[in-house]
């Protein structure tokens, strides 16, 4: 498995640093799931139900949720916009096993591309201090773009730790 990730810049402005770390973690997930077939992407470490395919679909959902739904108050991207979340609140995780590796990777890449376009526009229109259109349901406060970017980095970092364990259990591949 070849590591094609680009390290975040070591001396850059705030935006380049945040985007560098977010891209690094996105690429880490791509790396940890590369070359695997459907059965391998559906592999679980008991007693957890988490899979690498589920991670790809979940993080595609998270991208759409934070950048489209929260930041812009726009609908989630397909297929998340029509999912029956009331029937299965973990729909993104549980339905991934029915998707092909190509579908999962395309969905993830489509979500990242859409998020990056939204991020570019938001940075040009308010920068890191730009506030989200949707408020926190508990406090009523709106998040700034800086908080959303840091949260996305945290989300990827947490789940990439899961990806390390899952990938090692599948084929012994280890690495950052």
């Amino acid at each position: 498995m070849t590591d094609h990730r680009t390290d975040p810049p070591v001396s850059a402005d705030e935006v380049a640093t945040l985007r560098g770390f977010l891209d690094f973690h996105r690429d880490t997930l791509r790396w940890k799931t590369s070359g695997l077939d459907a059965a391998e992407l559906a592999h679980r470490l008991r007693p957890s139900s988490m899979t690498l395919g589920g991670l790809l679909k979940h993080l595609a959902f998270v991208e759409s949720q934070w950048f489209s739904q929260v930041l812009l108050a726009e609908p989630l991207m397909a297929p998340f916009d029509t999912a029956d979340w009331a029937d299965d609140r973990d729909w993104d995780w549980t339905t991934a096993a029915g998707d092909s590796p190509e579908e999962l990777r395309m969905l993830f890449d489509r979500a990242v591309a859409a998020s990056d376009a939204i991020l570019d526009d938001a940075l040009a229109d308010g920068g890191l201090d730009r506030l989200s259109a949707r408020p926190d349901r508990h406090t009523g406060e709106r998040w700034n773009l800086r908080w959303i970017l840091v949260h996305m980095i945290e989300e990827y970092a947490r789940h990439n730790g899961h990806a390390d364990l899952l990938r090692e259990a599948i084929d012994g591949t280890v690495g950052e």
Side-chain angles (χ1 to χ4, degrees), residues 45-145:
L45 290 178
R46 302 279 179 214
S48 175
S49 62
M50 187 178 291
T51 67
L52 287 170
L55 279 172
L56 282 168
K57 197 164 189 176
H58 171 69
L59 287 165
F61 166 69
V62 170
E63 291 273 354
S64 183
Q65 181 184 34
W66 278 100
F67 288 107
S68 295
Q69 193 175 54
V70 173
L71 185 61
L72 300 181
E74 291 182 357
L76 292 169
M77 66 181 278
F80 307 115
D81 58 339
T82 59
D84 188 355
W85 296 101
D87 184 52
D88 183 359
R89 67 183 206 100
D90 291 325
W91 183 89
D92 47 340
W93 291 98
T94 58
T95 61
D99 298 331
S100 73
E102 296 77 23
E103 289 170 321
L104 291 168
R105 290 183 183 107
M106 284 185 350
L107 177 64
F108 178 76
D109 288 341
R110 191 167 46 92
V112 167
S115 294
D116 280 343
I118 292 167
L119 182 55
D120 289 341
D121 290 345
L123 287 168
D125 182 28
L128 293 173
D129 293 322
R130 178 181 170 153
L131 295 177
S132 65
R134 292 184 70 174
D136 181 300
R137 68 177 182 257
H138 302 291
T139 67
E141 293 178 272
R142 295 187 300 153
W143 293 276
N144 67 25
L145 186 55

